[in-house]
Amino acid sequence: VQLQASGGGLVQTGGSLRLSCAVSGRTFSNYAIGWFRQTPGKEREFVASISRSSGTTIFADAVKGRFTIPRDNAENTVYLQMNNLKAEDTAVYYCAAGRYISRVERTYDYWGQGTLVTVSS
């Protein structure tokens, strides 16, 4: 399974950005997809995840109510829609594929490269 994250960039505080995670190589609908983020000197942290069927989503408390995680099985893509961005959302964002929806990094088997999001105040 290959994952390609894209859509990062520079945005002002309060703005919006949509990240994309394109998945190839295996049956996309067999995998839950998660987003994680990491800033320099810190461990990677969970952001959001969506189940294989799109029936369940979970979010970190820090982004709940501001981020959504739409999934398009026809396009083999999961998005991370980020609204009302804050300076503390600045990070490299990674998408990952696993068998089950989870907040735990080690439960994901495949990872994409990161995409940098910078929120300026």
Side-chain angles (χ1 to χ4, degrees), residues 13-78:
T13 301
S16 297
L17 204 60
R18 189 179 78 163
L19 306 182
S20 299
C21 179
V23 182
S24 61
R26 293 283 180 90
T27 304
F28 177 67
S29 59
N30 286 347
Y31 294 93
I33 303 295
W35 285 96
F36 291 76
R37 65 187 183 187
Q38 188 171 27
T39 55
K42 293 187 177 181
E43 292 187 352
R44 193 153 50 185
E45 65 175 4
F46 170 76
V47 176
S49 184
I50 187 165
S51 64
R52 290 174 284 180
S53 65
S54 303
T56 304
T57 56
I58 53 175
F59 296 91
D61 288 344
V63 307
K64 198 174 295 182
R66 299 189 296 121
F67 290 12
T68 61
I69 184 170
R71 178 178 185 135
D72 187 340
N73 281 349
E75 295 294 328
N76 288 4
T77 301
V78 170

Side-chain angles (χ1 to χ4, degrees), residues 69-116:
I69 184 170
R71 178 178 185 135
D72 187 340
N73 281 349
E75 295 294 328
N76 288 4
T77 301
V78 170
Y79 303 96
L80 186 68
Q81 177 64 47
M82 305 184 293
N83 301 322
N84 190 21
L85 282 161
K86 304 176 181 181
E88 51 264 43
D89 294 318
T90 295
V92 176
Y93 284 73
Y94 299 87
C95 60
R99 294 293 293 166
Y100 304 102
I101 186 172
S102 171
R103 299 174 183 269
V104 180
E105 186 175 337
R106 67 175 181 273
T107 65
Y108 290 86
D109 302 312
Y110 306 98
W111 290 80
Q113 90 295 350
T115 185
L116 177 63

